[in-house]
Amino acid sequence: MHEVDRFSALRSAVQQAILDREGVTDRATRRRAYDGEGEPGAIAAYVATVQRNAYRVDDEMMVAVRQAGLGDDAIFELTVATAVGEATRQFDAAMAALAAALAESEG
């Protein structure tokens, strides 16, 4: 955890809500999406797109995800899990880089 991080409790609560509460999708599927993975096929492609280039999600991709068996609620859950997981990884990397830069400047 980061030294000065007044929002860590809120981020932890969001993560817990995404990964541990009941939902349309099972916990393992949401965990894979949070980790940037997905079921093979259209769902994995969707998760990868949301993770790296969310603006590239298009109607064709949504049709493929629905044909893979996901409804709107499941798509929403996986979208949120993927986006929050990626945001968390980026935040942690940024804070680690900042801490390293501060340590270097003080050392």
Side-chain angles (χ1 to χ4, degrees), residues 41-104:
I43 297 171
Y46 176 74
V47 166
T49 302
V50 169
Q51 181 183 21
R52 294 183 189 98
N53 304 97
Y55 67 93
R56 291 190 175 177
V57 172
D58 58 16
D59 291 343
E60 184 177 305
M61 182 172 285
M62 297 309 297
V63 168
V65 170
R66 284 189 178 96
Q67 287 176 343
L70 295 183
D72 288 344
D73 290 341
I75 293 168
F76 176 78
E77 288 180 5
L78 296 186
T79 302
V80 170
T82 302
V84 171
E86 182 61 19
T88 299
R89 285 185 291 282
Q90 289 180 13
F91 176 81
D92 289 344
M95 293 303 287
L98 180 60
L102 289 173
E104 185 178 308

